[in-house]
Amino acid sequence: MKFYLETLIKDAVVALKSLPLKEEVIINLQDIENITCTRGIYIIEELNGDKQKTYNAFAEHKRKEYVAMPKLNLPSNILYVGSSRKNLKSRLLQHAGQCYKGTYALHLKNWFEGQIKITVKEYNVSDSVLQLIEDGISFELKPAFGKAGGNNK
């Protein structure tokens, strides 16, 4: 246990000091193809929408369609915070809805009608540090869907 906690503390110190190498923002799902970041954190946000209506639409789709979708938290304009260690563009395409029903994703094209903003932050850190950064951003932003805090808790 001591080794695990010491490693966690070291990773947390690195995470606190880490800054993204670059940041990209898109406001159209079709623009996912233009993303150049390969690994990092992404934040999916609804612009100018009704967070309760969006939350209800997600919940209804999840209930009716029996697809692999994130858990419900509370209504928020921040829809989801996630990360990808290998192929960020592919992961975002899954969230857009270009995937099988069994893929754990938002499946946006099947239920979402609003305007979207996706912020991508590329980091050059270990997987464990990237996870801590994602956990911290998710904890602070409190997304409507997906985990509400850390995977490491």
Side-chain angles (χ1 to χ4, degrees):
M1 180 177 81
K2 182 179 178 184
F3 176 75
Y4 168 76
L5 293 175
E6 288 172 346
T7 302
L8 187 59
I9 290 167
K10 287 178 187 174
D11 285 348
V13 169
V14 172
L16 278 170
K17 295 178 182 178
S18 295
L19 298 173
L21 299 174
K22 68 179 169 182
E23 186 173 306
E24 297 178 89
V25 176
I26 62 168
I27 56 169
N28 189 325
L29 292 176
Q30 290 75 22
D31 291 337
I32 290 172
E33 292 291 345
N34 299 328
I35 290 175
T36 61
C37 292
T38 57
R39 59 177 271 130
I41 308 295
Y42 55 90
I43 301 162
I44 302 174
E45 179 179 357
E46 179 179 28
L47 298 177
N48 305 319
D50 180 333
K51 63 185 176 184
Q52 186 64 55
K53 183 178 176 185
T54 300
Y55 184 87
N56 293 345
F58 177 91
E60 182 67 12
H61 184 75
K62 182 175 178 168
R63 185 184 67 76
K64 280 177 142 180
E65 298 298 323
Y66 305 106
V67 293
M69 295 174 77
K71 77 178 193 84
L72 293 152
N73 296 322
L74 294 172
S76 172
N77 291 334
I78 303 298
L79 301 181
Y80 192 83
V81 174
S83 65
S84 178
R85 284 133 183 85
K86 295 180 182 172
N87 191 336
L88 209 145
K89 186 186 302 186
S90 175
R91 184 66 180 126
L92 289 173
L93 288 170
Q94 291 173 344
H95 283 298
Q98 296 181 23
C99 61
Y100 296 105
K101 280 185 166 187
T103 302
Y104 182 83
L106 291 175
H107 303 270
L108 289 164
K109 76 174 186 177
N110 298 313
W111 64 272
F112 184 75
E113 297 178 0
Q115 185 179 3
I116 206 93
K117 174 183 173 185
I118 301 175
T119 303
V120 176
K121 299 179 182 207
E122 186 170 65
Y123 289 88
N124 184 20
V125 295
S126 70
D127 290 354
S128 58
V129 171
L130 188 65
Q131 184 62 60
L132 289 173
I133 294 169
E134 177 190 350
D135 294 345
I137 292 171
S138 181
F139 180 82
E140 288 179 0
L141 296 180
K142 298 181 182 4
F145 315 119
K147 67 180 187 301
N151 285 341
N152 294 320
K153 295 180 182 173

